[in-house]
Amino acid sequence: MPKRILLYFLGFVVLASLAYYGFSRWKDSREKVDLWTLVPDSATFIVETSHHAALVEHLKETELWNSVAILPFAQRFQENMAWLDSISPGSQRLARFLDQKNILTSVHVVGKADVEVVYYVPVNSVGEHRFVRTLTENISKSAVYKEDTRKYQGVELTDVINTRNGSSFTYFSYHNNLIMSPSPVLVEEIVRRINHGNLVSVAASFKSTNYLNQPEVYANVFVNYRNLPDLLGLFMQPELMPQVQYLSSLCQSGMLELKLEHDKIFLNGFSNPERLKGSLHSDMQPRRPYPLGVKAYLPSRTAVLLHFGLEEVARLRAQGSEARKGSAYAATADSLVHTFSNEVALAYLESYNITTSPEKVVFAHLGKKASANKLLASLIRQVAAARKNKPYKEEYGSYTIQLLDVPELPAQLFGRLFGGFEQSYVVQVDDYMLFSSDMATLRSLLDDISAENVWSKSVAQKAFLEETLQEANFSLYLNTVNAWYILNRYVTDNDREDLLQNASLIKRFNQVSLQFSKVDSQYYTSFVFRRQNRSKTGEDVFSTELTMPFPSRLDTRPFAIQNAVDRSPEVVVQDSANILYNITANDKLGWTDTVGTSIRGEVQQIEYGPDKKLRYLYATANHIHAVDNHGQELDNFPFNLGDSLRIQHLSVYDYDGKGNYGLLVDDAQGNLYQYDMRGTAIPGWQPRPMDYRLAAAPQHVQVGGHDVLLVLLENGYVYALNRDGETYPGFPFSVKSPLTSGAVIRAGSDLRRTEVTAVTKYGQVVVFNLQGKVLRREQLLRPSKRAMFELVPESSNGRSFILVRQDQGKVAIFDQDLKQVFEKRYVTSAPKIVQFYHFGGDKKLYAMTETGPQKTYLYDVKGNLIGSRALESSQPVTLYYNEATNSYTLYKVFRRELKKISFKVAE
C-alpha cells in the first residue's frame, strides 16, 4: 500500500509539473512584448513601420522607388523576398503576412567595419503561427536553402543560407515575435540582452510618441546621435571625424516622422539635447533660433553649408581654445568675436576634382559694425608691427579686401569647426564679415554677389528653402551635385566605389537639409531630401525661337555679351561684309558697327566711364575698337597700331579694380604691346618680345599683391611677367614639349601656393607654381603618334576645364582628375572645335563642331547626344542657361542665318 501511494504521488508530481510547464509556456507565449526593449543599445537608427502594402504602393508612385530599386542591396533584398514568397504556403503570401503590423528595423555598426540590420516581426494570430511554421518547414525542404539549428544560451537559433546567391540570415522566436538578421552576431547580442533581464527601451524617453497615428506618416524613425559618429566613420576619412563627433553631440536621441512625396522625403520630429559637458549643445546653450539671413550672399555654387543661429556666436569658441592658446593676438580676438551675433556660417564651395581641397568661406553677422571695424584695424596694425611689414589691402570694385596674416583666425573666433585657414583675407559686405584663406576665392565670391548668383536669387534654391525651417540654431545644407567631388575626396577609399555606383540616386535627390531649432527643452528637428525639379523631354528637344537672315555670310561664332543697360544675355556676330551685328535678348537687331575687316579673338566687355555702363572691346588685324551700347566708338578709339602689325589676341586687365584698364595684344611673331584706355603706350611693352608665337591669349592673376601675366608659347616655354613686363624669378622654363592651348590658374595666397595646369600637344599634364617650379607631371594615354591634346577651359567663368584628345576622327574628353569621360568617333578626321560649358553641379554640356561638314554635336554630362542629332552650324556655338525654366538657349550660325534654339536636357 505505501508503495502504491508513493507511485500515485510521483505520478501526480509529474503531471503537475507537466501542467505547470505547459501553462508557463502558454503564458509566456501569450505575454505581450515591447519590441523596442529588445533592440540593443548599439542601434544607430530604429525604424517602426506599419501598413507595408500602402507604403510600397506609395513608393512606386514616387520617383524614389525607381531610384532605390536599381541599387544592388535593394535588388538582393527583392530577390530574397521573391525566393521566400515562392515557397510561402497557400494564398497567404509573404507580403500579406507582413502587412498591417508594426515591424521594427534597427541599424547597427558591427565590428567597426560593417553596417547590418535586425528585423523584429510580431506573429499575431494562430493563422500567422501556422504560416510561419509551414514556411520554416518549406525552407528546410527547399533545394534553394540550407538550414542549420544551434543552441545559444538556451535559445534555439536557426541559420539559413540561400545557396543560389550566397546570402544568409539567422532567426529565433521570442514570445510570438520573430527576430532575424543577416548578422548572427547581432542576434546573439539580443539573446544575451533578453537573458540579462530588466529590458529597457533605448527610446524610452519617446515612449508616448507615435507618429504612425497621423495621416500620411509611413514610419517612426528613432535616431541615436551618440552612435552616429561610429556609422559615419565607416565612410568618412579620419581627418573629418573630430568635426563629425562634435556636431553629433548637439543631441543624444530623437524621434522623427517619415513622410514621402513625389520628389521629397521629410523627417520631422523632436530631439533631446546632449547635456554632457563639452557637447555642442552645452557650448551653444541657445535661447532662440534665427533665420538664414546670409542666403543673400551665399553663391549658387555652394556645396556644403554649416550655419549657426545663435545670439552669442562666441559660445562656439569652447572648441577653439587650442587655436587661441599661445596666440599673440588672443586679447584682440576675444574682443572682436563679441561684435558678431545671430549668425555664423561656414561654406564649402563647389570643387572640380577630388585632389584639390575645397574653397572655404566664413560668413559672420556683424552686430556692432563700428566696434568690429575698429578692432579689425587694430588687429591688422598689431600683425603688421609684429611682422615688420606694411598692411596689405586691395580695392576690389566697391569692396576693400584686407589680409590678416594670423594662423587659424576663424578658429580663434568661432571654434575648431572653423579651422583650416593658414591666413585670412577679410572683406565686409553689408552686415557680414567674410573670411577666406585665398584672395581669389573672395574675388570670385564678390563677383557672384554682384551678378546675383546667390541663394536668395536662385529659383531652385528658393524653392528648396521654402521646404526647410525658416529659423534654426544649427543647419546643415548639402547640394550633392555641387559637392560630388568633395564627397569623393572625403569618403574612404573602400567606399568610393559604392559612392560612384550609387551616383545616380545621390545626385537625383541633390538638395538636402538637416536642421535643429530650439523649442522649450527640445530641438524641433527637420531632415529634408529634395529632388530639384527637372523636366523630361521628347525625342526632338530643340525648339527654334528665332531665325534671323543676314545679307551676307556669317563668318564668326555668336559672341556672348550682356546688354549694357539690364545685363540680359545677348550675342554679337560678324558677317563677310565685316559688319558687326548685335542681337538683343528679345530677338531684335540692336546696334551695328561697320568694322571694315574681320575681328580677331573675342568680343569683350568692361565697365567704363562715369556711368559704369558696359562697353564692348574687340580687335582687328591692327586696330583696337571700343564702342558703346549704340555701336559708337568711345573717345580716343579706335587705336591704330600700325599697318604691319597682325594682332592675334586682345586681352583686357583691370589691375587695381578702379577701371584703369590695360589693353594687351600679341602679334604673329610673339611680340606683346600694352596700352591704356587713352591709347598711351605703356613703357616696357613696345614691344615686349617673346621670340615665339603665343599658344593662347596671356592670362592675368593677382596673387598676394603681385600682378602676374602668364604667357605660354607654342614652343613650350612659359613666362610669368609683372606689370612692367619684367620676368618673375624661376621663369622662363620649358615644359619640354609644344603647347597649343592655354592654362588654368588656381590662385593661392602667394606665388608658391598658386598652381597652374597646362597640357602639352602630346598629352603630358604639367602642374607648376608661379615660382617656376614644376610640381608634378602625368602622361595621358596617347594611342597613336597622331593623337594631339589641348586644354579647354569652361566657357563662362573658366573655373573648371577639360582635356581633349583628338586622334584621326576620334575625340576623347578627360576631366580634371584625368579620367576619361567619354569618346566619340566622327566621319571626318579634321580637328574638331571643342567647347565646354559648366553651369554648376551636373549642368555640363560639351559642344563639338566639325567645320568641314558644318555640324555641331551637343552632349550632356554623361556623353549622350542631345536631341539624337547634330545641328547645322558653320562656327562654334554660344550657350546660356536659364535657371528659372531649367532650360538652355543656344545661338548658332549657318551660312547667312542666325538661329536661337531652346532645349531642355532629360535626366
Short mmCIF file of all heavy atoms in Angstrom, two decimals, residues 8-28:
data_model
loop_
_atom_site.label_atom_id
_atom_site.label_comp_id
_atom_site.label_asym_id
_atom_site.label_seq_id
_atom_site.Cartn_x
_atom_site.Cartn_y
_atom_site.Cartn_z
N TYR A 8 1.49 6.79 -6.83
CA TYR A 8 0.48 7.79 -7.14
C TYR A 8 1.02 9.20 -6.94
O TYR A 8 0.75 10.12 -7.73
CB TYR A 8 -0.78 7.57 -6.28
CG TYR A 8 -1.62 6.39 -6.72
CD1 TYR A 8 -2.40 5.69 -5.79
CD2 TYR A 8 -1.67 6.01 -8.06
CE1 TYR A 8 -3.18 4.62 -6.18
CE2 TYR A 8 -2.44 4.93 -8.45
CZ TYR A 8 -3.19 4.25 -7.52
OH TYR A 8 -3.97 3.20 -7.90
N PHE A 9 1.75 9.36 -5.84
CA PHE A 9 2.28 10.69 -5.52
C PHE A 9 3.27 11.16 -6.59
O PHE A 9 3.23 12.31 -7.05
CB PHE A 9 2.96 10.65 -4.15
CG PHE A 9 3.60 11.97 -3.78
CD1 PHE A 9 2.83 13.06 -3.40
CD2 PHE A 9 4.99 12.11 -3.84
CE1 PHE A 9 3.45 14.25 -3.07
CE2 PHE A 9 5.59 13.31 -3.52
CZ PHE A 9 4.81 14.40 -3.12
N LEU A 10 4.17 10.23 -6.97
CA LEU A 10 5.14 10.58 -8.02
C LEU A 10 4.44 10.92 -9.34
O LEU A 10 4.82 11.85 -10.05
CB LEU A 10 6.12 9.43 -8.23
CG LEU A 10 7.10 9.18 -7.07
CD1 LEU A 10 7.94 7.93 -7.34
CD2 LEU A 10 8.03 10.39 -6.89
N GLY A 11 3.40 10.13 -9.67
CA GLY A 11 2.65 10.42 -10.89
C GLY A 11 1.99 11.78 -10.85
O GLY A 11 1.96 12.52 -11.84
N PHE A 12 1.43 12.11 -9.65
CA PHE A 12 0.80 13.42 -9.51
C PHE A 12 1.82 14.55 -9.69
O PHE A 12 1.53 15.56 -10.34
CB PHE A 12 0.15 13.51 -8.12
CG PHE A 12 -0.40 14.88 -7.82
CD1 PHE A 12 -1.59 15.31 -8.39
CD2 PHE A 12 0.30 15.74 -6.98
CE1 PHE A 12 -2.08 16.57 -8.11
CE2 PHE A 12 -0.20 16.99 -6.71
CZ PHE A 12 -1.38 17.41 -7.26
N VAL A 13 2.99 14.37 -9.11
CA VAL A 13 4.05 15.40 -9.23
C VAL A 13 4.43 15.59 -10.68
O VAL A 13 4.59 16.72 -11.17
CB VAL A 13 5.27 15.02 -8.37
CG1 VAL A 13 6.45 15.93 -8.70
CG2 VAL A 13 4.92 15.08 -6.90
N VAL A 14 4.59 14.47 -11.39
CA VAL A 14 4.98 14.57 -12.81
C VAL A 14 3.90 15.28 -13.60
O VAL A 14 4.18 16.19 -14.41
CB VAL A 14 5.25 13.16 -13.38
CG1 VAL A 14 5.41 13.23 -14.90
CG2 VAL A 14 6.49 12.56 -12.74
N LEU A 15 2.62 14.88 -13.38
CA LEU A 15 1.53 15.52 -14.11
C LEU A 15 1.43 17.00 -13.76
O LEU A 15 1.20 17.86 -14.65
CB LEU A 15 0.20 14.82 -13.79
CG LEU A 15 0.03 13.42 -14.39
CD1 LEU A 15 -1.25 12.77 -13.87
CD2 LEU A 15 -0.03 13.51 -15.92
N ALA A 16 1.59 17.31 -12.49
CA ALA A 16 1.52 18.73 -12.08
C ALA A 16 2.66 19.53 -12.70
O ALA A 16 2.48 20.67 -13.13
CB ALA A 16 1.57 18.82 -10.55
N SER A 17 3.83 18.92 -12.74
CA SER A 17 4.98 19.61 -13.34
C SER A 17 4.76 19.87 -14.81
O SER A 17 5.04 20.95 -15.34
CB SER A 17 6.26 18.79 -13.14
OG SER A 17 6.53 18.60 -11.76
N LEU A 18 4.24 18.80 -15.51
CA LEU A 18 3.97 18.97 -16.93
C LEU A 18 2.91 20.05 -17.16
O LEU A 18 3.02 20.87 -18.09
CB LEU A 18 3.52 17.64 -17.54
CG LEU A 18 4.61 16.57 -17.66
CD1 LEU A 18 3.98 15.23 -18.09
CD2 LEU A 18 5.67 17.00 -18.66
N ALA A 19 1.88 20.03 -16.30
CA ALA A 19 0.82 21.02 -16.43
C ALA A 19 1.36 22.43 -16.18
O ALA A 19 1.04 23.38 -16.90
CB ALA A 19 -0.31 20.71 -15.45
N TYR A 20 2.19 22.56 -15.15
CA TYR A 20 2.76 23.88 -14.84
C TYR A 20 3.68 24.35 -15.97
O TYR A 20 3.66 25.52 -16.36
CB TYR A 20 3.55 23.80 -13.53
CG TYR A 20 4.23 25.11 -13.18
CD1 TYR A 20 3.48 26.18 -12.66
CD2 TYR A 20 5.59 25.29 -13.39
CE1 TYR A 20 4.09 27.38 -12.36
CE2 TYR A 20 6.21 26.48 -13.09
CZ TYR A 20 5.45 27.54 -12.58
OH TYR A 20 6.06 28.73 -12.29
N TYR A 21 4.47 23.39 -16.50
CA TYR A 21 5.38 23.74 -17.60
C TYR A 21 4.59 24.19 -18.83
O TYR A 21 4.90 25.19 -19.47
CB TYR A 21 6.25 22.53 -17.95
CG TYR A 21 7.15 22.77 -19.15
CD1 TYR A 21 8.29 23.55 -19.04
CD2 TYR A 21 6.84 22.19 -20.38
CE1 TYR A 21 9.11 23.76 -20.13
CE2 TYR A 21 7.65 22.39 -21.48
CZ TYR A 21 8.80 23.18 -21.36
OH TYR A 21 9.59 23.39 -22.44
N GLY A 22 3.52 23.43 -19.12
CA GLY A 22 2.69 23.80 -20.27
C GLY A 22 2.01 25.14 -20.06
O GLY A 22 1.93 25.96 -20.98
N PHE A 23 1.51 25.35 -18.81
CA PHE A 23 0.87 26.63 -18.52
C PHE A 23 1.86 27.79 -18.64
O PHE A 23 1.55 28.85 -19.19
CB PHE A 23 0.27 26.59 -17.11
CG PHE A 23 -0.30 27.91 -16.67
CD1 PHE A 23 -1.54 28.34 -17.14
CD2 PHE A 23 0.40 28.74 -15.81
CE1 PHE A 23 -2.06 29.56 -16.75
CE2 PHE A 23 -0.11 29.96 -15.42
CZ PHE A 23 -1.35 30.38 -15.87
N SER A 24 3.08 27.54 -18.14
CA SER A 24 4.11 28.59 -18.20
C SER A 24 4.45 28.93 -19.64
O SER A 24 4.58 30.10 -20.02
CB SER A 24 5.36 28.16 -17.44
OG SER A 24 5.06 27.95 -16.10
N ARG A 25 4.62 27.88 -20.46
CA ARG A 25 4.95 28.12 -21.86
C ARG A 25 3.81 28.86 -22.56
O ARG A 25 4.04 29.76 -23.36
CB ARG A 25 5.21 26.79 -22.58
CG ARG A 25 6.49 26.09 -22.16
CD ARG A 25 7.72 26.92 -22.53
NE ARG A 25 7.80 27.19 -23.97
CZ ARG A 25 8.44 26.40 -24.81
NH1 ARG A 25 9.07 25.32 -24.38
NH2 ARG A 25 8.47 26.70 -26.10
N TRP A 26 2.55 28.45 -22.21
CA TRP A 26 1.40 29.12 -22.81
C TRP A 26 1.32 30.56 -22.36
O TRP A 26 1.08 31.47 -23.17
CB TRP A 26 0.13 28.36 -22.40
CG TRP A 26 -1.14 29.04 -22.90
CD1 TRP A 26 -1.68 28.96 -24.14
CD2 TRP A 26 -1.99 29.90 -22.14
NE1 TRP A 26 -2.81 29.72 -24.22
CE2 TRP A 26 -3.04 30.31 -23.00
CE3 TRP A 26 -1.97 30.36 -20.81
CZ2 TRP A 26 -4.05 31.16 -22.58
CZ3 TRP A 26 -2.98 31.20 -20.39
CH2 TRP A 26 -4.00 31.60 -21.27
N LYS A 27 1.60 30.79 -21.07
CA LYS A 27 1.55 32.15 -20.55
C LYS A 27 2.64 33.01 -21.18
O LYS A 27 2.41 34.17 -21.56
CB LYS A 27 1.73 32.13 -19.03
CG LYS A 27 1.64 33.51 -18.40
CD LYS A 27 1.86 33.44 -16.89
CE LYS A 27 1.82 34.84 -16.29
NZ LYS A 27 2.08 34.83 -14.83
N ASP A 28 3.86 32.41 -21.29
CA ASP A 28 4.96 33.15 -21.91
C ASP A 28 4.63 33.51 -23.34
O ASP A 28 4.94 34.61 -23.82
CB ASP A 28 6.24 32.32 -21.87
CG ASP A 28 6.81 32.26 -20.44
OD1 ASP A 28 6.37 33.08 -19.62
OD2 ASP A 28 7.67 31.39 -20.20
#
